[in-house]
Amino acid sequence: MTKDCLFCRIVSGEEAANAVWADANYLSIMDKFPINVGHQLVLPKVHYNFLTDMTDNEVAELFGRVSMLAKVTMKALRPDGLAVGQNNGVAANQQIFHVHVHIIPRFEGDVGEGSWPRRKTMTDGELNRIAENIRREIR
Amino acid sequence: MTKDCLFCRIVSGEEAANAVWADANYLSIMDKFPINVGHQLVLPKVHYNFLTDMTDNEVAELFGRVSMLAKVTMKALRPDGLAVGQNNGVAANQQIFHVHVHIIPRFEGDVGEGSWPRRKTMTDGELNRIAENIRREIR
């Protein structure tokens, strides 16, 4: 646990987040600056800077959770598509240096190839309502 | 196996590809229109249109391989960063409807947030040399 890591502080409960789901080793939260409605981050509770710092088995476990949450997000929000992304390093636009996987619902015409919609500003209330919609589909 | 699926034809050997690595159930090939040098695709040999058609365990297995290949790519090519991406549906810019995970080396200044470098044109010879560099790091 790293004091100056936002995601470690969220894991420890020191910092608030719009949580969707958690188990013993992983959790998912709503991205505070979503690319689209339903944009979630899935992360290991243990701090790793980069995906390549995790063992192959840990990465497999992490993406098993991403898979579950991707299915649930498709059911809850019925987007036209869904992107999964994970960035490592400043050169890849990583902004928080604690491994996280983006689950991003996509909608027809939201943007062309090679770029993303602008990030949106959403209130905690809005983010929590979306989290609740997603959570409802988790069995 | 779907006759009209390019990746199924690559899996069966009917269509050539710049292969990097394969095991019983997964393989990795160089992207023919790479976003950056070293851009690879990792795919299941079995045909699935979307990630959400796979079981959570299959997705976990697939990304265990992605993890191995991401580490190997960092060693072989020493990029400044690395992005992992997986797109589902036309709305997410999926172009071949057989699940594939992009491993994309990133380099400082190659582009800003929210967009990607233009795809490059590379010859089979160039792609094979890069594949060979990556393969050399696989133990």
Side-chain angles (χ1 to χ4, degrees):
Chain A
M1 140 87 182
T2 310
K3 266 286 171 202
D4 55 4
C5 170
L6 172 63
F7 288 168
C8 283
R9 292 200 306 273
I10 286 174
V11 168
S12 72
E14 274 176 80
E15 190 99 28
N18 307 96
V20 178
W21 166 92
D23 67 8
N25 300 314
Y26 302 93
L27 77 159
S28 120
I29 59 176
M30 303 309 293
D31 192 307
K32 275 210 179 296
F33 306 97
I35 281 176
N36 271 332
V37 169
H39 182 173
Q40 269 163 96
L41 307 176
V42 190
L43 44 136
K45 290 186 177 177
V46 171
H47 182 92
Y48 295 101
N49 290 338
F50 306 119
L51 199 72
T52 46
D53 296 333
M54 298 173 70
T55 67
D56 296 346
N57 281 342
E58 288 169 327
V59 172
E61 269 192 15
L62 170 61
F63 279 92
R65 273 64 174 182
V66 169
S67 174
M68 180 276 284
L69 290 159
K71 289 181 181 109
V72 158
T73 301
M74 288 300 292
K75 275 193 200 152
L77 306 179
R78 306 225 162 261
D80 299 316
L82 184 135
V84 172
Q86 194 280 324
N87 298 325
N88 302 281
V90 171
N93 302 319
Q94 184 180 9
Q95 290 173 1
I96 297 184
F97 288 82
H98 179 131
V99 167
H100 54 285
V101 181
H102 298 266
I103 295 178
I104 307 174
R106 295 294 306 266
F107 299 91
E108 269 167 36
D110 64 7
V111 89
E113 187 188 6
S115 52
W116 288 99
R118 269 173 193 288
R119 288 183 177 252
K120 289 154 188 62
T121 306
M122 301 188 85
T123 65
D124 267 356
E126 288 169 314
L127 290 171
N128 273 329
R129 269 194 299 280
I130 299 162
E132 177 52 33
N133 284 346
I134 296 170
R135 205 155 39 225
R136 221 177 288 151
E137 297 291 342
I138 301 179
R139 278 141 233 245
Chain B
M1 140 87 181
T2 311
K3 268 284 171 200
D4 55 4
C5 170
L6 172 64
F7 288 168
C8 283
R9 292 200 306 274
I10 285 175
V11 168
S12 72
E14 273 177 80
E15 189 100 29
N18 307 96
V20 179
W21 166 93
D23 66 8
N25 300 314
Y26 302 93
L27 78 159
S28 119
I29 58 176
M30 303 308 294
D31 192 307
K32 276 212 180 293
F33 306 97
I35 281 175
N36 270 332
V37 170
H39 182 173
Q40 268 163 97
L41 307 176
V42 190
L43 44 137
K45 290 186 177 178
V46 172
H47 183 92
Y48 295 102
N49 291 338
F50 307 120
L51 199 73
T52 47
D53 296 333
M54 297 173 71
T55 67
D56 297 345
N57 281 341
E58 287 169 328
V59 172
E61 269 192 15
L62 170 61
F63 278 93
R65 274 64 173 181
V66 169
S67 175
M68 181 275 284
L69 289 159
K71 290 181 181 110
V72 158
T73 301
M74 289 300 291
K75 274 192 201 153
L77 306 179
R78 306 224 160 263
D80 299 316
L82 184 135
V84 172
Q86 194 280 324
N87 298 324
N88 301 280
V90 171
N93 301 319
Q94 185 180 8
Q95 291 173 0
I96 298 185
F97 289 81
H98 179 131
V99 167
H100 54 284
V101 181
H102 298 266
I103 296 179
I104 307 174
R106 296 292 307 265
F107 298 91
E108 269 169 36
D110 64 6
V111 88
E113 187 186 7
S115 51
W116 287 99
R118 269 173 193 288
R119 288 182 178 253
K120 290 156 188 59
T121 307
M122 300 188 85
T123 65
D124 267 356
E126 289 170 313
L127 291 171
N128 273 329
R129 267 194 300 280
I130 300 161
E132 176 53 34
N133 283 346
I134 296 169
R135 206 157 35 227
R136 221 177 288 151
E137 296 291 341
I138 301 178
R139 276 142 236 241

